[in-house]
Amino acid sequence: MTGIPAQSALWPAPTAARPVDATVTVPGSKSVTNRGLVLAALASEPGWLRRPLRSRDTLLMAEALRAMGVQIDTVPNNSSGSGEGARGGGDAWRIIPAGLRGPAAVDVGNAGTVMRFLPPVAALAEGPVRFDGDPRSHERPLHGVIDALRALGARIDDAGRGALPLTVHGTGSLEGGTVEIDASSSSQFVSALLLSGPRFNQGVEVRHVGGSLPSLPHIRMTVEMLRAAGAKVDAPEDGGEPDVWRVTPGALLGRDLTVEPDLSNAAPFLAAALVTGGRVTVRDWPAHTTQPGDALREIFTRMGGSCELTEDGLTFTGTGRVHGITADLHEVGELTPVIAAVAALADSPSELSGIAHLRLHETDRLAALAKELGGLGCGVTETSDGLRIEPRPLHGGVFRTYEDHRLATAAAVVGLVVEGVQVENVATTAKTLPEFPELWTGLVDPGAAGPGTSGRRG
Ligand SMILES: O=C(O)C1=C[C@@H](OP(=O)(O)O)[C@@H](O)[C@H](O)C1
Ligand SMILES: C=C(OP(=O)(O)O)C(=O)O
C-alpha cells in the first residue's frame, strides 16, 4: 500500500501548527459492511453493498464467504441498481448467494466480526470449515458462539479449547431453537447467532444470562439490519423480555444497501477539532443510525466543543479548551481509545468506566492505554472496569500500538498537540481504515490533502 510505513516503522504523528479546519470523507462502517456481507450471503437472491468498507476486516469477511461458495464481485458503483442505493462513486460489491459448502479455510485475522459471525454460517454449509487467525484471535473469547452452536445441533472440533483454531463440520442445515449464553464478554456472540438465525430450521431464541451485556447499539444494528432484510425479530427494546431475542425462520431478501460512514473511525477527526480548537465536518453523517459513534456528539460536547448536523454532515467545533469527563462507556466501548487520548489533554481528570471487556479486544486496551499515555507523562490508573486519567504536561516519545488500530488513531490525536509523538506501526490502522495516515496528514496540512480530506482555508 502506498504511503503507509512498514510494520515496525515509527510514524512521526503530525503536529497541528494551527486549529484544524477541514472536511473529511470517512470510509464505510466496518460493522455495517460485515453484517451486510453475511446477510447478503445468506439471502435467497442477489444483493448489493455500496460504498462498502475495504479494509483488512471486511476483505477477510468477503474472502471467507467466497471460500464457502458465495460470489462477491467488485463493480463500479454506477453500473446497475436503482434508487437511493445507487448514489455515489467508488466500487460496489454485488453478492450472489449460493449453496454454502466446505471444505473451506477461513482466516479471521483479528476480526471479532469474522471469528464470531461466521461459525454459525459455516454450520449451514455442507462440509468442514476450518477457522484460524492471528495469534491474538486464539485469546479472544469465542466460547459463547461455540457452546451455543453445539446446543443448537452443530458439530465443532475445537480440541476442547473453547477458542480458535477450530473446525465446524457443517451438514447443510442446523436445527436451531432456544439457547442460553453468557455474552458479557462480547455482544458479538448475540449478533452472530441472530444473523444466521433466519436460516436455522426452527430459527433461534437467544437468552443472555450473566453479567451486563456490552455494546448494545451493535445488537440493535443486527436487529435493524435483519429486519431490513425481511426477517422477523423480537427484541427487548420492543417490549420483549429483557436480554432475550427471537428470530423466526424464513428467507432473507437481497438488499441494495449503501453503507454509512464508520462513525467510530470519525472519532479521531472530531477529536482533532476538539483538541486544536478547530472545526471538522464529517460528510454524510446519518440522521438515524445504530452505530455507537453517534454518541460522540454528546460525549465530545461534554468535553468542551459543540456540533451541528446539517445536510453536509456533522460539523464539530472546538473552543481550545478540553474538559475531563466521567462516563460509562459500556455501550460504546470501541470509542474508548480516542476518548482517553482527548481526556489526557483535558483541563481536569476523567473517569471512564463500564469497559472491563476491552481487556479482551484487539489487545488489552486498558493496560495499553495506561502504559502508552502514561509513557508520554499522563497520569493513568487502571480501575476494575476502566481508566482514571489525570492530565499532566505531556512530552513526545514512542507510542506502541500492539496491533490495535484504535491505539494508533488515539496516539495521532495526542500527537496533534504534543510534539515528538512517534506512532509504532501506524499501518495497523488497515484493520478498519487503511487510508488513515493520508487522511490525517490532509487534515493537518490541507495542501497535502488527498481525495478524502479537504481543507477549508484558502
Ligand atoms: O458487532 C460489532 O460490529 C461490534 C461489536 C463490539 O464488540 P464487543 O461487544 O465485543 O465489544 C465492538 O467493540 C466491535 O468493534 C464491533
Ligand atoms: C473491538 C473492535 O473490533 P472487533 O470487531 O475485532 O471486535 C474494534 O474495532 O474496536
Side-chain angles (χ1 to χ4, degrees):
M1 244 168 295
T2 51
I4 299 185
Q7 269 220 353
S8 56
L10 295 178
W11 182 66
T15 306
R18 58 178 97 83
V20 299
D21 190 0
T23 297
V24 187
T25 301
V26 177
S29 156
K30 164 196 79 173
S31 293
V32 173
T33 301
N34 276 357
R35 282 170 175 73
L37 281 170
V38 170
L39 290 170
L42 294 172
S44 53
E45 54 188 353
W48 290 91
L49 267 192
R50 304 193 189 265
R51 298 196 214 166
L53 173 67
R54 291 162 175 286
S55 72
R56 185 172 188 227
D57 279 16
T58 62
L59 294 174
L60 285 169
M61 180 66 94
E63 220 27 68
L65 291 167
R66 283 190 186 111
M68 286 189 262
V70 179
Q71 188 180 332
I72 302 174
D73 299 329
T74 302
V75 280
N77 194 17
N78 51 10
S79 66
S80 180
S82 57
E84 191 267 338
R87 268 189 316 118
D91 286 339
W93 273 332
R94 171 95 171 136
I95 300 114
I96 303 173
L100 298 164
R101 55 170 161 72
V106 169
D107 175 7
V108 308
N110 189 9
T113 48
V114 183
M115 72 180 85
R116 289 153 183 157
F117 295 176
L118 287 189
V121 175
L124 293 165
E126 233 170 304
V129 182
R130 168 100 182 140
F131 289 83
D132 202 354
D134 295 358
R136 176 64 174 171
S137 73
H138 298 182
E139 297 165 2
R140 297 188 67 185
L142 196 57
H143 54 87
V145 175
I146 297 171
D147 294 348
L149 284 177
R150 284 196 179 121
L152 296 172
R155 184 156 80 84
I156 299 177
D157 177 6
D158 65 345
R161 276 182 291 264
L164 289 171
L166 58 79
T167 300
V168 178
H169 294 274
T171 55
S173 68
L174 192 75
E175 196 44 32
T178 299
V179 71
E180 281 192 354
I181 57 168
D182 177 354
S184 53
S185 58
S186 175
S187 67
Q188 291 176 345
F189 296 173
V190 175
S191 289
L193 296 164
L194 300 184
L195 284 168
S196 289
R199 290 280 305 269
F200 301 163
N201 299 345
Q202 298 181 35
V204 74
E205 178 175 301
V206 179
R207 309 184 71 89
H208 164 68
V209 288
S212 160
L213 260 180
S215 316
L216 278 177
H218 277 116
I219 299 183
R220 286 187 208 115
M221 180 188 289
T222 300
V223 170
E224 276 201 12
M225 289 185 68
L226 271 162
R227 286 180 179 153
K232 180 172 174 341
V233 188
D234 299 319
E237 57 268 26
D238 314 311
E241 234 181 296
D243 291 339
V244 176
W245 291 261
R246 202 168 298 116
V247 180
T248 305
L252 288 167
L253 309 171
R255 290 184 70 195
D256 189 333
L257 173 66
T258 301
V259 177
E260 303 167 358
D262 193 307
L263 305 188
S264 296
N265 275 336
F269 297 95
L270 300 180
L274 184 53
V275 304
T276 67
R279 184 168 59 144
V280 168
T281 299
V282 175
R283 283 196 189 94
D284 297 322
W285 194 281
H288 164 82
T289 180
T290 48
Q291 288 192 63
D294 202 34
L296 290 167
R297 296 200 273 162
E298 192 236 320
I299 293 169
F300 282 168
T301 299
R302 280 171 63 200
M303 296 185 90
S306 59
C307 64
E308 196 188 358
L309 188 56
T310 67
E311 284 195 347
D312 294 338
L314 183 79
T315 299
F316 195 85
T317 310
T319 58
R321 292 199 62 191
V322 181
H323 311 307
I325 191 170
T326 296
D328 181 338
L329 300 180
H330 194 53
E331 293 211 345
V332 296
E334 71 178 12
L335 306 179
T336 302
V338 168
I339 294 172
V342 173
L345 302 166
D347 58 11
S348 58
S350 291
E351 186 93 32
L352 308 179
S353 63
I355 42 177
H357 67 291
L358 264 61
R359 295 194 163 98
L360 297 164
H361 273 184
E362 279 80 334
T363 184
D364 176 342
R365 285 182 167 160
L366 301 187
L369 286 164
K371 184 154 193 299
E372 299 308 316
L373 290 172
L376 301 183
C378 186
V380 190
T381 328
E382 272 190 67
T383 63
S384 60
D385 74 336
L387 294 171
R388 186 172 306 120
I389 298 173
E390 290 173 54
R392 295 182 197 141
L394 301 185
H395 52 76
V398 172
F399 197 106
R400 293 203 164 66
T401 52
Y402 310 92
E403 302 190 2
D404 185 344
H405 53 147
R406 299 200 199 278
L407 263 288
T409 54
V413 171
V414 177
L416 281 177
V417 289
V418 176
E419 281 196 26
V421 173
Q422 304 208 70
V423 185
E424 175 247 351
N425 187 18
V426 75
T428 197
T429 52
K431 186 175 193 284
T432 57
L433 187 53
E435 305 86 340
F436 178 74
E438 290 88 342
L439 288 173
W440 198 252
T441 305
L443 181 76
V444 178
D445 176 6
T453 326
S454 52
R456 253 184 293 243
R457 282 189 208 86

